[in-house]
Amino acid sequence: MKRTLLFIATNLGIMLVLGITASLLGVNRFLTSNGLDLTKLLMFAGLMGFGGAFISLLLSKPIAKWSTKARVITQPSNSTEQWLLNTVAAQAQRAGIGMPEVAIYEGEPNAFATGATRNSSLVAVSTGLLQSMTEQEVEAVLAHEVAHIANGDMVTLTLIQGVVNTFVIFIARIVGYFVDGMLRKNDEENTGPGIGYMVTVIVCEIVFGILASIIVAWFSRQREFRADRGAANIMGQSQPMVAALRRLGGMAEGELPKNMSAFGISGKGGAMALFSSHPPIEERIAALQAR
């Protein structure tokens, strides 16, 4: 419940900030007496689409820490924490990135990486993962998350999300304007778009948003295959990552906050595979064994 409320509150806050910005810039006045101002509409759509995605990216690390209650390891209190720091440091060096913050959080088996840049990132693992995997399997999971950072996956997915958001907002309003015009073409007192425009925009944003989420999820699944290969390269062999995936396949994965789920080590598949951020474990194992 806390994670859901945080997700809603964050998005409402982002929309409020972007709405005020759009008003100050005047790009929200794309509906004119002469019709749609496509230039202003595109600027409005870009501001809302990319602005929301990049603000979420910038806030990703503090939100992840707060929502999972992750404890960043600054001074190791035991041998496990020291091992985690040493392992991530060695992997980061091999991957050519800055040392990420390393954190532990209470929960079922999972891990994630987040952060706005390759040199300002966070790798977090759950207590459930540490307790249920061998040291080599945990090392493989850490390498997978480090590979996400080295590949710039957080920024890449943000850019993709920004592009699809922009097109959804832009096209929905164009369709809404024309539908409203068709409904009101015999209205001699037509003073601008009415209820038809608003309803059509809402429906189009829902429909186009669903289609857009399928595109984003497809890109996310390709990132997972790439991060698996990156983990194998960092470790010098594929077998530890294969073993870690097999272990994960027999576990109930831990839930992550909505804005972090695409960067976890595992995710949901099944009937909603088109919307899943992660490929099936079997496909990931097969891809690693075929490399």
Side-chain angles (χ1 to χ4, degrees), residues 102-185:
V102 181
I104 299 176
Y105 66 96
E106 295 288 334
E108 296 301 315
N110 215 326
F112 66 87
T114 190
T117 69
R118 285 160 46 100
N119 295 320
S120 178
S121 54
L122 169 74
V123 172
V125 294
S126 70
T127 52
L129 190 96
L130 293 172
Q131 293 163 3
S132 57
M133 283 190 167
T134 66
E135 189 173 279
Q136 189 180 57
E137 290 166 351
V138 174
E139 186 177 354
V141 170
L142 292 172
H144 174 95
E145 302 306 334
V146 168
H148 270 311
I149 298 168
N151 293 339
D153 285 340
M154 282 69 83
V155 174
T156 300
L157 199 62
T158 297
L159 289 171
I160 293 168
Q161 188 70 63
V163 169
V164 297
N165 287 350
T166 297
F167 274 98
V168 167
I169 294 168
F170 184 74
I171 297 173
R173 280 154 182 77
I174 290 178
V175 174
Y177 182 82
F178 280 106
V179 168
D180 188 74
M182 293 295 294
L183 293 174
R184 303 178 64 186
K185 62 182 178 180

Side-chain angles (χ1 to χ4, degrees), residues 36-108:
L36 276 177
D37 184 330
L38 293 179
T39 301
K40 281 189 177 180
L41 175 56
L42 184 58
M43 292 171 66
F44 172 81
L47 173 65
M48 302 302 284
F50 280 96
F54 273 99
I55 291 174
S56 295
L57 175 65
L58 293 173
L59 295 176
S60 61
K61 197 159 66 166
I63 287 176
K65 292 177 185 177
W66 191 86
S67 60
T68 61
K69 294 184 179 178
R71 178 177 58 83
V72 175
I73 303 171
T74 52
Q75 292 293 329
S77 59
N78 53 53
S79 58
T80 298
E81 293 183 2
Q82 186 64 63
W83 177 81
L84 283 172
L85 284 179
N86 293 342
T87 301
V88 173
Q91 292 177 347
Q93 185 174 23
R94 286 184 217 131
I97 62 172
M99 175 63 182
E101 290 184 286
V102 181
I104 299 176
Y105 66 96
E106 295 288 334
E108 296 301 315

Side-chain angles (χ1 to χ4, degrees), residues 180-262:
D180 188 74
M182 293 295 294
L183 293 174
R184 303 178 64 186
K185 62 182 178 180
N186 296 320
D187 185 357
E188 295 181 358
E189 297 183 359
N190 189 341
T191 58
I195 188 68
Y197 170 81
M198 291 184 284
V199 171
T200 304
V201 167
I202 291 172
V203 172
C204 284
E205 285 196 342
I206 293 172
V207 174
F208 296 157
I210 292 172
L211 295 175
S213 66
I214 293 175
I215 295 172
V216 174
W218 182 86
F219 276 103
S220 181
R221 291 194 294 274
Q222 304 316 303
R223 293 179 316 104
E224 290 305 313
F225 287 122
R226 190 180 173 198
D228 287 342
R229 292 194 300 271
N233 291 334
I234 288 171
M235 297 195 68
Q237 56 179 324
S238 300
Q239 190 52 41
M241 192 69 232
V242 170
L245 289 171
R246 282 185 176 142
R247 180 86 66 176
L248 284 168
M251 298 177 183
E253 77 254 13
E255 182 184 2
L256 291 174
K258 290 180 173 60
N259 58 336
M260 292 293 106
S261 58

